[in-house]
CSV table of all heavy atoms in Angstrom, one decimal:
chain,number,residue,atom,x,y,z
U,251,ILE,N,-9.0,-24.8,-15.5
U,251,ILE,CA,-9.3,-26.2,-15.7
U,251,ILE,C,-8.9,-26.7,-17.1
U,251,ILE,O,-8.3,-27.8,-17.2
U,251,ILE,CB,-10.8,-26.5,-15.5
U,251,ILE,CG1,-11.3,-25.9,-14.1
U,251,ILE,CG2,-11.1,-28.0,-15.6
U,251,ILE,CD1,-10.6,-26.5,-12.9
U,252,ILE,N,-9.1,-25.9,-18.1
U,252,ILE,CA,-8.7,-26.3,-19.5
U,252,ILE,C,-7.2,-26.4,-19.5
U,252,ILE,O,-6.6,-27.4,-20.1
U,252,ILE,CB,-9.2,-25.2,-20.5
U,252,ILE,CG1,-10.7,-25.2,-20.6
U,252,ILE,CG2,-8.6,-25.5,-21.9
U,252,ILE,CD1,-11.2,-24.0,-21.4
U,253,ARG,N,-6.5,-25.4,-18.9
U,253,ARG,CA,-5.0,-25.5,-18.9
U,253,ARG,C,-4.5,-26.7,-18.2
U,253,ARG,O,-3.6,-27.4,-18.6
U,253,ARG,CB,-4.5,-24.2,-18.2
U,253,ARG,CG,-3.0,-24.1,-18.0
U,253,ARG,CD,-2.3,-24.0,-19.2
U,253,ARG,NE,-0.9,-23.6,-19.0
U,253,ARG,CZ,0.1,-23.7,-19.9
U,253,ARG,NH1,-0.2,-24.2,-21.1
U,253,ARG,NH2,1.3,-23.3,-19.6
U,254,GLU,N,-5.1,-27.1,-17.0
U,254,GLU,CA,-4.7,-28.2,-16.3
U,254,GLU,C,-4.9,-29.5,-17.0
U,254,GLU,O,-4.1,-30.4,-17.0
U,254,GLU,CB,-5.4,-28.3,-14.9
U,254,GLU,CG,-4.9,-27.2,-13.9
U,254,GLU,CD,-5.7,-27.3,-12.6
U,254,GLU,OE1,-6.9,-27.5,-12.7
U,254,GLU,OE2,-5.0,-27.1,-11.6
U,255,LYS,N,-6.1,-29.6,-17.7
U,255,LYS,CA,-6.5,-30.9,-18.3
U,255,LYS,C,-5.9,-31.1,-19.7
U,255,LYS,O,-5.7,-32.2,-20.1
U,255,LYS,CB,-8.0,-31.0,-18.4
U,255,LYS,CG,-8.7,-31.2,-17.0
U,255,LYS,CD,-10.2,-31.4,-17.2
U,255,LYS,CE,-10.8,-31.9,-15.9
U,255,LYS,NZ,-10.5,-33.3,-15.6
U,256,THR,N,-5.5,-30.0,-20.4
U,256,THR,CA,-5.1,-30.1,-21.8
U,256,THR,C,-3.7,-29.6,-22.0
U,256,THR,O,-3.1,-29.9,-23.1
U,256,THR,CB,-6.0,-29.4,-22.7
U,256,THR,OG1,-5.9,-28.0,-22.5
U,256,THR,CG2,-7.5,-29.8,-22.5
U,257,LYS,N,-3.1,-28.8,-21.1
U,257,LYS,CA,-1.8,-28.2,-21.2
U,257,LYS,C,-1.8,-27.1,-22.4
U,257,LYS,O,-0.7,-26.7,-22.7
U,257,LYS,CB,-0.7,-29.2,-21.5
U,257,LYS,CG,-0.7,-30.4,-20.5
U,257,LYS,CD,-0.6,-29.9,-19.1
U,257,LYS,CE,-0.6,-31.1,-18.1
U,257,LYS,NZ,-0.7,-30.7,-16.7
U,258,ILE,N,-2.9,-26.8,-22.9
U,258,ILE,CA,-3.0,-25.8,-24.0
U,258,ILE,C,-2.8,-24.4,-23.3
U,258,ILE,O,-3.3,-24.1,-22.2
U,258,ILE,CB,-4.4,-25.8,-24.7
U,258,ILE,CG1,-4.5,-27.2,-25.4
U,258,ILE,CG2,-4.5,-24.7,-25.7
U,258,ILE,CD1,-5.9,-27.4,-26.0
U,259,VAL,N,-2.1,-23.5,-24.1
U,259,VAL,CA,-2.0,-22.1,-23.6
U,259,VAL,C,-3.4,-21.5,-23.5
U,259,VAL,O,-4.2,-21.6,-24.5
U,259,VAL,CB,-1.1,-21.3,-24.6
U,259,VAL,CG1,-1.2,-19.8,-24.4
U,259,VAL,CG2,0.3,-21.8,-24.5
U,260,CYS,N,-3.6,-20.8,-22.4
U,260,CYS,CA,-4.9,-20.1,-22.2
U,260,CYS,C,-4.7,-18.7,-21.8
U,260,CYS,O,-3.6,-18.3,-21.3
U,260,CYS,CB,-5.7,-20.8,-21.1
U,260,CYS,SG,-6.2,-22.5,-21.5
U,261,MET,N,-5.7,-17.9,-22.1
U,261,MET,CA,-5.7,-16.4,-21.7
U,261,MET,C,-7.0,-16.1,-21.1
U,261,MET,O,-8.0,-16.7,-21.4
U,261,MET,CB,-5.4,-15.6,-22.9
U,261,MET,CG,-3.9,-15.7,-23.4
U,261,MET,SD,-3.8,-15.3,-25.2
U,261,MET,CE,-4.1,-16.9,-25.9
U,262,ASN,N,-7.1,-15.0,-20.3
U,262,ASN,CA,-8.3,-14.6,-19.7
U,262,ASN,C,-8.3,-13.1,-19.7
U,262,ASN,O,-7.5,-12.5,-19.0
U,262,ASN,CB,-8.5,-15.2,-18.3
U,262,ASN,CG,-10.0,-15.0,-17.8
U,262,ASN,OD1,-10.9,-15.5,-18.5
U,262,ASN,ND2,-10.1,-14.4,-16.7
U,263,PHE,N,-9.3,-12.4,-20.3
U,263,PHE,CA,-9.3,-11.0,-20.5
U,263,PHE,C,-10.6,-10.4,-19.9
U,263,PHE,O,-11.6,-11.0,-19.6
U,263,PHE,CB,-9.2,-10.6,-22.0
U,263,PHE,CG,-7.9,-11.0,-22.6
U,263,PHE,CD1,-7.8,-12.0,-23.5
U,263,PHE,CD2,-6.7,-10.3,-22.2
U,263,PHE,CE1,-6.6,-12.3,-24.1
U,263,PHE,CE2,-5.5,-10.6,-22.8
U,263,PHE,CZ,-5.5,-11.6,-23.7
U,264,GLY,N,-10.5,-9.0,-19.7
U,264,GLY,CA,-11.7,-8.3,-19.2
U,264,GLY,C,-12.8,-8.3,-20.2
U,264,GLY,O,-12.6,-8.3,-21.4
U,265,ASN,N,-14.1,-8.3,-19.7
U,265,ASN,CA,-15.2,-8.4,-20.6
U,265,ASN,C,-16.1,-7.2,-20.6
U,265,ASN,O,-17.3,-7.2,-21.1
U,265,ASN,CB,-16.0,-9.6,-20.2
U,265,ASN,CG,-16.5,-9.6,-18.7
U,265,ASN,OD1,-16.7,-8.6,-18.1
U,265,ASN,ND2,-16.7,-10.8,-18.2
U,266,GLY,N,-15.7,-6.1,-19.9
U,266,GLY,CA,-16.6,-4.9,-19.9
U,266,GLY,C,-17.7,-4.9,-18.8
U,266,GLY,O,-18.6,-4.1,-18.9
U,267,GLY,N,-17.6,-5.9,-17.9
U,267,GLY,CA,-18.5,-5.9,-16.8
U,267,GLY,C,-17.9,-5.3,-15.5
U,267,GLY,O,-16.7,-5.3,-15.3
U,268,TYR,N,-18.8,-4.7,-14.7
U,268,TYR,CA,-18.3,-4.0,-13.5
U,268,TYR,C,-19.2,-4.4,-12.3
U,268,TYR,O,-20.4,-4.9,-12.4
U,268,TYR,CB,-18.4,-2.5,-13.7
U,268,TYR,CG,-17.4,-2.0,-14.7
U,268,TYR,CD1,-17.6,-2.1,-16.0
U,268,TYR,CD2,-16.2,-1.5,-14.2
U,268,TYR,CE1,-16.6,-1.7,-16.9
U,268,TYR,CE2,-15.2,-1.0,-15.1
U,268,TYR,CZ,-15.5,-1.1,-16.5
U,268,TYR,OH,-14.5,-0.7,-17.4
U,269,CYS,N,-18.6,-4.3,-11.1
U,269,CYS,CA,-19.3,-4.6,-9.8
U,269,CYS,C,-19.8,-6.1,-9.8
U,269,CYS,O,-20.9,-6.4,-9.4
U,269,CYS,CB,-20.5,-3.7,-9.6
U,269,CYS,SG,-20.1,-2.0,-9.5
U,270,ALA,N,-18.9,-7.0,-10.2
U,270,ALA,CA,-19.2,-8.4,-10.4
U,270,ALA,C,-19.7,-9.0,-9.0
U,270,ALA,O,-19.2,-8.6,-8.0
U,270,ALA,CB,-18.0,-9.2,-10.9
U,271,HIS,N,-20.7,-9.9,-9.1
U,271,HIS,CA,-21.2,-10.6,-8.0
U,271,HIS,C,-21.9,-9.7,-7.0
U,271,HIS,O,-22.1,-10.1,-5.8
U,271,HIS,CB,-20.1,-11.4,-7.3
U,271,HIS,CG,-19.5,-12.6,-8.1
U,271,HIS,ND1,-18.9,-13.6,-7.5
U,271,HIS,CD2,-19.5,-12.8,-9.4
U,271,HIS,CE1,-18.5,-14.5,-8.4
U,271,HIS,NE2,-18.9,-14.0,-9.6
U,272,THR,N,-22.4,-8.6,-7.5
U,272,THR,CA,-23.2,-7.7,-6.6
U,272,THR,C,-24.6,-7.4,-7.3
U,272,THR,O,-24.7,-7.6,-8.5
U,272,THR,CB,-22.5,-6.4,-6.3
U,272,THR,OG1,-22.5,-5.6,-7.4
U,272,THR,CG2,-21.1,-6.7,-5.8
Side-chain angles (χ1 to χ4, degrees):
I251 307 299
I252 296 172
R253 175 68 166 162
E254 288 179 319
K255 286 183 170 291
T256 69
K257 309 305 180 185
I258 295 172
V259 166
C260 295
M261 290 154 272
N262 195 56
F263 293 111
N265 60 26
Y268 290 81
C269 300
H271 291 202
T272 74

